[in-house]
Amino acid sequence: MIDLTVSNESWPLAEVFTISRGSKTAAEVVVVELRDGSHTGRGECVPYARYGETVEGVMAALKEMRSQLSGDVTRQQIQSLLKPGAARNALDCAFWDLDAKRTGKPVWELAGLPKPGPLVTAFTLSLDTPEKMAAAASRNASRPLMKLKLTGEGDLERVAAVREAAPNTDLIVDANEGWSVEMVEPFSTDLAKHGVKMIEQPLPASDDRMLADVSHPVPLCADESAHTSAELDALIGRYDVINIKLDKTGGLTEALALRKAAEAAGLQIMIGCMVGTSLAMAPAVLVGQGAAFVDLDGPLLLAKDRDDGLEFSGSTLQPPKPALWG
């Protein structure tokens, strides 16, 4: 029998974080703990309103699993017992962590993966005026990669201002579904002149079929359009990159399957995150090995991370230690 504990934690951000859909001042996360009497496994998720999720709804869905866990339910079985999303992510990752604690073997070994190494993450600049985004870029100009949150009107001015403030930093941009199809080709052409390496989710997910016929010198990345391997076929020909987030896939199990399928389809890999603590980032570190783009900067945006959090040196993060996860 496995005992399940579900809790909500609020982690204040260092600064207000703004994207095209709104602003937040704290990361509201749900933490799962699985105990078998001798060992404890943990997982963290971030419920996301864009996908119809709330903290209360995710916690309720997880608590409904208590009766299942009183039997012999396995990590493999929960893939069909819970739909992809935040709730399954926390439970799936907690199962992986519990298995690692039980066996004394790291998750990467249990999953048949190479031993993970350090990753260089993007550092995200919140959506703001060109002047304020340039000031933020100047403060972080030593970072090798920055991700700019965009929204549509004024985006070219934002990127130009950031590029001037951080001339040696690689840039990627994220429109969070904020552009129209008419913007994609001219914006992509202009952004290419500023050395932008990738454009994330320019159109609403409902409209991205139109991308198949749009010229774009900068590679396009699917985020809100990409959840699990079930949607992958529809993205081919529209996007060049796929952003894998464990809160979308419903955990590490499906994230690894999605990465394998996406690579086989010729898509580049980005590993991303919601704004959460190092406990949410830790499983994603395994998926991010060798990825074209890594965006696991959630802990860098917090006022304070967990005591046993990931170790960062600038934008370089080290794989998690067992005290945190895995």
Side-chain angles (χ1 to χ4, degrees), residues 173-187:
V173 302
D174 183 5
N176 282 116
E177 304 179 283
W179 293 1
S180 67
V181 68
E182 293 80 15
M183 294 176 175
V184 177
E185 184 172 348
F187 276 34

Side-chain angles (χ1 to χ4, degrees), residues 151-322:
T151 187
E153 183 179 354
D155 282 348
L156 299 183
E157 291 77 12
R158 292 181 176 93
V159 175
V162 168
R163 170 49 75 212
E164 183 175 357
N168 299 316
T169 299
D170 284 342
L171 302 179
I172 56 179
V173 302
D174 183 5
N176 282 116
E177 304 179 283
W179 293 1
S180 67
V181 68
E182 293 80 15
M183 294 176 175
V184 177
E185 184 172 348
F187 276 34
S188 180
T189 299
D190 192 278
L191 295 182
K193 297 175 183 177
H194 292 297
V196 171
K197 304 296 184 183
M198 182 268 284
I199 299 168
E200 194 176 340
Q201 197 70 38
L203 302 184
S206 59
D207 296 339
D208 65 4
R209 63 190 179 280
M210 294 185 283
L211 293 174
D213 301 316
V214 175
S215 174
H216 54 277
V218 178
L220 302 181
C221 176
D223 181 8
E224 285 86 349
S225 294
H227 292 254
T228 69
S229 51
E231 298 92 27
L232 188 61
D233 285 348
L235 305 179
I236 298 171
R238 303 175 184 179
Y239 294 97
D240 312 288
V241 187
I242 182 170
N243 187 349
I244 300 174
K245 292 178 180 175
L246 274 66
D247 276 313
K248 295 186 300 175
T249 65
L252 177 62
T253 302
E254 173 60 22
L256 292 172
L258 176 56
R259 172 165 181 161
K260 183 177 180 180
E263 288 178 327
L267 293 169
Q268 287 188 300
I269 303 300
M270 177 179 185
I271 180 67
C273 67
M274 307 303 184
V275 182
T277 79
S278 283
L279 181 57
M281 308 300 125
V285 171
L286 302 185
V287 189
Q289 299 297 307
F293 302 99
V294 174
D295 181 22
L296 298 178
D297 65 342
L300 297 178
L301 305 178
L302 302 178
K304 182 181 183 299
D305 190 18
R306 298 184 185 277
D307 290 340
D308 54 0
L310 296 175
E311 293 181 7
F312 284 84
S313 177
S315 294
T316 299
L317 63 94
Q318 299 296 323
K321 296 179 178 179

Side-chain angles (χ1 to χ4, degrees), residues 21-55:
R21 283 188 288 270
S23 301
K24 62 193 304 182
T25 58
E28 297 294 332
V29 310
V30 174
V31 176
V32 164
E33 290 190 350
L34 297 178
R35 296 184 178 89
D36 66 0
S38 301
H39 307 92
T40 301
R42 298 190 301 168
E44 177 183 312
C45 68
V46 184
Y48 200 44
R50 168 64 178 80
Y51 305 131
E53 297 175 333
T54 63
V55 168

Side-chain angles (χ1 to χ4, degrees), residues 38-116:
S38 301
H39 307 92
T40 301
R42 298 190 301 168
E44 177 183 312
C45 68
V46 184
Y48 200 44
R50 168 64 178 80
Y51 305 131
E53 297 175 333
T54 63
V55 168
E56 295 76 16
V58 166
M59 292 182 71
L62 286 165
K63 289 175 181 178
E64 288 179 4
M65 293 296 297
R66 283 199 173 110
S67 60
Q68 302 279 356
L69 294 171
S70 64
D72 295 323
V73 68
T74 65
R75 174 178 55 80
Q76 290 78 11
Q77 289 171 323
I78 70 166
Q79 308 307 312
S80 58
L81 293 174
L82 284 171
K83 65 181 181 180
R88 196 178 79 186
N89 175 31
L91 190 57
D92 179 80
C93 291
F95 261 110
W96 278 108
D97 190 32
L98 181 61
D99 287 345
K101 301 299 191 290
R102 283 170 163 173
T103 63
K105 297 180 179 179
V107 169
W108 61 264
E109 186 175 339
L110 295 176
L113 301 171
K115 185 177 181 178

